[in-house]
Amino acid sequence: MAKREAWMALAGLATTSMISVPVWAEPPEPLPASQLDWVPWGTDRPAGEVCGGYYLQPEYRLEQPPEGQVNSESDTADYGADGDTILEGGVLLRKGDTQLEAPRVQVPPERDVANISGPVTLREQGLLVRGDNAQVSLKSDEASIDSAHYVSHETRVRGDAIQLERITEDTFRLREASFTTCAPGDSTWRLIGNQVDLDRAAGYGTARHARLEIADVPVFYWPWVRFPIDDRRQSGFLWPVLSGSDGSLDFEQPYYLNLAPNYDATISPRWVGDSGLLFGAEFRYLFPDSQGTISGAYLSDDDSAGEDDGYTELEQGDDRWYFDYSHVGRLSPRVPYQLRYGAASDGAYFDDFGRTFGESETETMQRLARIDYRGETWKLQARAQGYQVMDDPLNEKDKPFYRLPSLTADARWSQDTGLYQEWNSNLSYFWRDIEGDENGFYDFNGQQRRIPITEAANGARLSLSPAFGYRFNPSWGFFEPRVAMHHTQYDLDYQDRITDRDESPSLTAPVTTIDTGLVFERDVNIGGGSFLQTLEPRLNYAYVPERDQSDFPDFDTGEQAFGWTQLWSPYRFSGGDRLGDLNRLSYGVESRFLEDESGRERFSVGVGQAAYFEDRNIDMQGDPDTLPRDEDSYDYYDATRDRSAWVTRINWQVSDNWRTRWQWLYDDHLDRTESTEVGLQWRADAGHVVNLGYRWRIEGFDTADEPEDVLNYNREEYDLSFALKATDNFDVIGRLLYDNTNDRALDQMAGVQWNDCCYGVQLVWREWIDDEDTANNIDDDTTDRGFFLRFVLKGLGGVGGEADSYFDSAIPGYRAARLE
């Protein structure tokens, strides 16, 4: 389990002050890099390496002696008058993995210690200490070195101390000492303490009367501090998070608890200036067959609740909270399961208190209990599922349906002859709690609204779709006829709603498809490269008879947008509440170019169209006898047209660095473009990424269940995003999503990131538009802005939250280097 790569424990925090702070420690001046095993990178620097060099421990100069013995080498060896032994001139001593170098070593007659005159070099596996005079025990691990300079190679930790004592093999005590992970010669930051204890076995250090210096300027003081010296997790205070908006201070001080190797916790008290004290916590666990996270926060008596303009369900003094539990595991390799439960006090919680920088809004809180069986023939699933919609106030019609439960059983049998049989089935009970009178009316934001009758019932739905087919699949083509018998049965309860709709509607209809195609191949040479070119014509016939579905509810269904995939599918709707009528022949051809050397697809182009032999009467209303009322609308035209738009799709891997994609829907009847999407991406080996995108949609093309979500204008958008690695350490990132139709920027982001062995910085600004759940009305849109700063001292921790996941999603192809 990983929490962060740096944890910090504070016994107290105060601003630096010459009055309140004891005499400050002054460690000796650092040694030059050449004396600290530091090797700068040359031409062999690995790609993406953020460090300017590395520590390299040289080979031992003496062979390892037998257990308990000491090997030595020197120019001279004499015995003193008192029986002591004196070694001088290039003295080398080695015991086990410890090697000592010095110009002079004196060993008393007792042979218990070695008194060393410097300069001294002490080496162990992964550890270097240089200093002036030293005393080393010959019977234990104890040692003491004056004016010490130390390096831990693997963890990149180095520092300086007036005196360094080794108490045991893995514990050290340093007086007036410094600690940093910066490269030699770099003083960006260092931690300095009057007494610093390092425990290599436990993986942490402690310092008394410690101060943090950035560029030699003191910025923090701690009476006592604990810090990591490797990647192991440690209990303690994490760096605080400080922010502000509208003149209000927001301060969070997390405390991390390393409870056990497989579970931990973080407690996060947070002061939100206008609201009060918000107490948050997270608990994580990891077991061989399961893992999970429990998180939440609570704020009692929010003084600022309900202050925002507009409609809200909040009132001043309300308690605010959220809870989120996530668990995944498996009972056996074939039986995975998942649990999730999220809830919040109100729909505005995350708008007010947020989660992460990149999350403009948290739309839902998921709730799920699911278990699967994945057998060779049968696939079984049982789940209960729902979610809380995070809107304030919450419109009744936007409340989700819960599945309590949903049971799925699918199976497939195949024969060597090409015949196959399928069993597909699902039984779900849909429920939600809505308020409205007997006619479905309710008040919302001072206006009367109505629950659509298709969404007014709770009830059970049984879906059966057994199928029989034949797949003939030689190397030169394929032929697959298939018949699925689709059956849907409901048992509905409209409760107090007055309606004469059938409470037990059903339908049974065949879904017949014939899919066939040929594959022609030839070898071609293009631009000096060898390719296998294919030509793949394809025909797909689909027939679905119309069935009356006007009494059917709408639990989980939406109309699918038309594109390349829909050319070859008999299903016009997602979900299980509508079966779209269809009598269609799709025809198309695709050509692909496969690179002989790697087998990778370099280029593909496909063109296709569908011919309709009957109108498509079934829409979300489910009535087979009606078409959309507005004969001038796109919906009416799309339901009655005798052929679809031509679909052209191109994917081109121009080179290892350039790629492009294009989909164009062109109506040859009205001579107009209905939709087009173009994307161009450049990725360089050095890590640069540039994305250019263009999207066009004709009015009415996008499908939506609610009238306010249907765009009443042609939509034209440009999307530019980039991440440029100016150096191995410095990234510049940005994004602009521009709505050309309405002459406005939908999303803007600009930032920089610096990352090296010593520290990391992310600085990002973002501004975006929230459409307030009314996509066809831009007058009520609001603009949100965010400013993000994260500063990390490698090996010590950082200030600010993480934005890496947002960068990855906003800039396709970019993988932000983690600062820690």
Side-chain angles (χ1 to χ4, degrees):
M1 297 176 69
K3 179 65 182 178
R4 297 170 177 86
E5 291 187 11
W7 299 264
M8 196 162 192
L10 315 181
L13 173 62
T15 58
T16 56
S17 164
M18 292 302 296
I19 297 175
S20 59
V21 180
V23 177
W24 281 0
E26 289 296 338
E29 287 297 316
L31 292 177
S34 59
Q35 297 186 44
L36 296 175
D37 293 347
W38 180 258
V39 181
W41 289 109
T43 57
D44 59 340
R45 181 171 184 164
E49 175 60 54
V50 299
C51 298
Y54 58 98
Y55 292 104
L56 178 64
Q57 179 172 331
E59 297 291 334
Y60 283 98
R61 295 175 60 185
L62 289 179
E63 293 291 332
Q64 185 171 15
E67 182 72 23
Q69 297 185 24
V70 178
N71 276 355
S72 65
E73 180 182 293
S74 64
D75 292 341
T76 64
D78 295 320
Y79 289 98
D82 297 329
D84 53 351
T85 301
I86 301 175
L87 305 177
E88 291 184 315
V91 179
L92 287 174
L93 299 176
R94 182 175 181 186
K95 178 183 178 183
D97 287 331
T98 302
Q99 177 179 281
L100 185 144
E101 304 175 38
R104 187 178 188 275
V105 176
Q106 182 261 337
V107 180
E110 295 79 11
R111 301 295 190 267
D112 54 351
V113 297
N115 299 308
I116 305 158
S117 299
V120 178
T121 300
L122 180 68
R123 293 189 179 278
E124 292 186 353
Q125 287 290 343
L127 179 67
L128 165 66
V129 180
R130 294 188 186 274
D132 291 344
N133 300 325
Q135 188 177 76
V136 177
S137 172
L138 299 180
K139 295 185 177 181
S140 67
D141 294 316
E142 295 180 0
S144 176
I145 301 176
D146 298 330
S147 296
H149 311 272
Y150 66 92
V151 170
S152 177
H153 299 81
E154 184 177 352
T155 59
R156 296 179 176 270
V157 170
R158 68 174 180 88
D160 313 283
I162 293 297
Q163 185 182 56
L164 181 148
E165 296 179 70
R166 185 172 69 176
I167 301 171
T168 66
E169 181 180 0
D170 292 314
T171 58
F172 298 83
R173 173 161 295 168
L174 297 82
R175 303 187 188 279
E176 297 194 48
S178 66
F179 166 94
T180 186
T181 58
C182 297
D186 186 347
S187 59
T188 299
W189 73 268
R190 61 177 182 167
L191 184 70
I192 299 176
N194 282 9
Q195 177 180 308
V196 177
D197 295 330
L198 303 178
D199 190 336
R200 298 174 69 192
Y204 66 86
T206 61
R208 300 180 186 274
H209 297 306
R211 70 181 185 271
L212 174 64
E213 290 187 354
I214 296 181
D216 297 326
V217 177
V219 295
F220 286 112
Y221 164 75
W222 298 275
W224 180 85
V225 61
R226 188 166 78 174
F227 54 90
I229 58 176
D230 58 25
D231 291 341
R232 279 176 288 180
R233 297 175 289 123
Q234 305 290 343
S235 295
F237 284 99
L238 306 178
W239 279 88
V241 178
L242 182 66
S243 62
S245 62
D246 299 328
S248 175
L249 179 68
D250 190 333
F251 177 83
E252 181 178 3
Q253 177 57 76
Y255 185 88
Y256 177 72
L257 294 166
N258 182 27
L259 302 175
N262 63 324
Y263 55 90
D264 58 18
T266 303
I267 301 172
S268 302
R270 174 182 172 191
W271 178 260
V272 184
D274 291 339
S275 299
L277 180 62
L278 178 69
F279 186 84
E282 179 187 71
F283 176 77
R284 307 183 311 162
Y285 56 89
L286 175 64
F287 298 103
D289 292 322
S290 65
Q291 64 183 55
T293 302
I294 304 171
S295 62
Y298 180 80
L299 186 154
S300 177
D301 191 13
D302 183 0
D303 296 331
S304 66
E307 287 184 353
D308 293 339
D309 296 334
Y311 294 96
T312 178
E313 297 174 349
L314 290 168
E315 296 180 359
Q316 187 175 10
D318 280 353
D319 294 345
R320 311 289 298 278
W321 56 267
Y322 92 92
F323 174 83
D324 198 2
Y325 172 60
S326 177
H327 176 93
V328 294
R330 59 179 184 177
L331 301 180
S332 73
R334 292 187 179 274
V335 186
Y337 67 94
Q338 181 179 359
L339 301 173
R340 182 74 185 267
Y341 183 83
S345 57
D346 55 86
Y349 178 89
F350 294 109
D351 289 336
D352 292 344
F353 303 111
R355 276 191 173 180
T356 65
F357 163 78
E359 210 167 26
S360 60
E361 59 180 332
T362 300
E363 296 181 351
T364 62
M365 295 290 285
Q366 298 294 324
R367 297 159 185 183
L368 173 68
R370 168 178 166 175
I371 186 169
D372 290 81
Y373 170 74
R374 300 170 181 172
E376 296 292 338
T377 300
W378 285 93
K379 306 289 189 295
L380 309 177
Q381 183 187 98
R383 62 174 166 157
Q385 185 176 22
Y387 53 93
Q388 177 185 354
V389 175
M390 300 301 291
D391 285 341
D392 178 44
L394 177 60
N395 197 336
E396 289 295 309
K397 71 178 183 62
D398 291 334
K399 288 184 175 179
F401 280 100
Y402 281 65
R403 299 170 186 258
L404 300 173
S406 177
L407 307 175
T408 301
D410 297 333
R412 181 182 174 94
W413 300 268
S414 301
Q415 290 79 49
D416 294 338
T417 59
L419 293 172
Y420 65 87
Q421 303 81 39
E422 292 181 2
W423 174 263
N424 302 289
S425 61
N426 176 266
L427 175 63
S428 297
Y429 183 82
F430 295 88
W431 174 90
R432 69 173 177 173
D433 181 22
I434 56 175
E435 296 180 3
D437 63 19
E438 59 188 13
N439 294 309
F441 288 101
Y442 62 95
D443 291 327
F444 180 74
N445 286 356
Q447 298 179 351
Q448 275 240 309
R449 304 290 182 93
R450 193 180 191 189
I451 301 292
I453 191 63
T454 57
E455 302 175 18
N458 296 328
R461 182 187 71 199
L462 174 65
S463 298
L464 303 176
S465 186
F468 175 83
Y470 171 74
R471 177 76 177 184
F472 178 61
N473 193 23
S475 60
W476 46 265
F478 64 92
F479 175 69
E480 181 177 9
R482 172 189 169 95
V483 178
M485 185 58 66
H486 185 92
H487 177 77
T488 304
Q489 177 73 51
Y490 291 93
D491 183 13
L492 305 176
D493 180 9
Y494 286 92
Q495 302 177 79
D496 297 330
R497 184 71 177 265
I498 297 176
T499 179
D500 58 358
R501 293 166 66 95
D502 186 357
E503 295 186 352
S504 301
S506 65
L507 74 78
T508 301
V511 178
T512 304
T513 59
I514 301 175
D515 196 13
T516 184
L518 297 174
V519 179
F520 300 96
E521 298 178 349
R522 68 168 183 168
D523 294 322
V524 295
N525 292 307
I526 302 176
S530 299
F531 297 87
L532 176 68
Q533 181 191 5
T534 69
L535 184 67
E536 304 172 39
R538 183 177 181 181
L539 291 174
N540 180 285
Y541 176 74
Y543 178 73
V544 183
E546 63 183 31
R547 294 290 187 267
D548 187 359
Q549 300 162 61
S550 56
D551 285 341
F552 282 22
D554 176 13
F555 291 138
D556 64 353
T557 295
E559 189 171 357
Q560 302 204 63
F562 183 74
W564 180 264
T565 303
Q566 280 300 104
L567 277 176
W568 320 110
S569 172
Y571 298 103
R572 294 172 40 223
F573 297 91
S574 62
D577 297 312
R578 295 292 181 274
L579 182 66
D581 55 325
L582 193 63
N583 188 359
R584 179 216 67 201
L585 175 66
S586 293
Y587 39 88
V589 62
E590 185 174 21
S591 181
R592 297 183 295 145
F593 288 79
L594 307 177
E595 197 172 50
D596 282 351
E597 184 176 344
S598 64
R600 180 170 51 178
E601 182 181 294
R602 281 291 189 179
F603 180 83
S604 68
V605 55
V607 180
Q609 188 182 41
Y612 300 109
F613 305 114
E614 296 177 0
D615 292 344
R616 279 74 58 211
N617 288 63
I618 300 298
D619 56 15
M620 288 301 298
Q621 302 306 313
D623 188 347
D625 299 322
T626 62
L627 289 167
R629 296 179 182 178
D630 185 0
E631 295 187 5
D632 294 327
S633 68
Y634 179 87
D635 287 343
Y636 182 88
Y637 174 69
D638 191 47
T640 57
R641 67 202 304 179
D642 59 5
R643 62 183 183 273
S644 73
W646 282 98
V647 182
T648 302
R649 184 183 71 167
I650 295 176
N651 291 309
W652 186 13
Q653 180 75 48
V654 183
S655 68
D656 291 341
N657 304 114
W658 288 90
R659 68 178 63 189
T660 184
R661 55 176 176 77
W662 179 44
Q663 180 170 281
W664 179 36
L665 273 63
Y666 176 74
D667 183 358
D668 61 337
H669 178 67
L670 296 180
D671 191 22
R672 67 181 184 182
T673 294
E674 294 189 353
S675 168
T676 187
E677 291 186 22
V678 181
L680 176 66
Q681 182 182 84
W682 172 66
R683 296 181 64 180
D685 296 337
H688 311 301
V689 178
V690 178
N691 299 288
L692 296 173
Y694 174 80
R695 287 181 288 274
W696 159 270
R697 295 284 190 276
I698 197 170
E699 178 184 342
F701 181 84
D702 287 321
T703 60
D705 293 338
E706 305 298 336
E708 59 264 33
D709 294 331
V710 178
L711 294 182
N712 52 11
Y713 53 84
N714 297 336
R715 183 177 69 178
E716 185 177 35
E717 292 178 357
Y718 297 91
D719 194 350
L720 165 66
S721 63
F722 64 88
L724 302 178
K725 297 188 74 68
T727 68
D728 287 331
N729 306 97
F730 187 64
D731 293 2
V732 180
I733 57 178
R735 186 192 185 198
L736 173 63
L737 177 60
Y738 189 76
D739 176 5
N740 195 52
T741 304
N742 298 298
D743 192 21
R744 60 178 184 166
L746 297 176
D747 200 338
Q748 304 173 77
M749 185 263 289
V752 294
Q753 174 169 300
W754 171 270
N755 194 28
D756 68 7
C757 292
C758 181
Y759 71 100
V761 177
Q762 287 174 340
L763 179 62
V764 184
W765 167 84
R766 185 183 177 215
E767 180 179 287
W768 68 96
I769 288 178
D770 188 340
D771 69 5
E772 299 296 334
D773 296 325
T774 53
N776 63 357
N777 180 15
I778 68 172
D779 294 333
D780 64 350
D781 291 354
T782 58
T783 300
D784 293 326
R785 297 177 181 87
F787 184 76
F788 172 88
L789 172 64
R790 178 163 171 77
F791 186 79
V792 172
L793 307 179
K794 298 299 183 67
L796 200 59
V799 178
E802 297 179 2
D804 302 335
S805 60
Y806 171 71
F807 298 152
D808 293 347
S809 61
I811 308 172
Y814 176 57
R815 293 296 175 264
R818 292 185 59 85
L819 296 188
E820 295 181 335

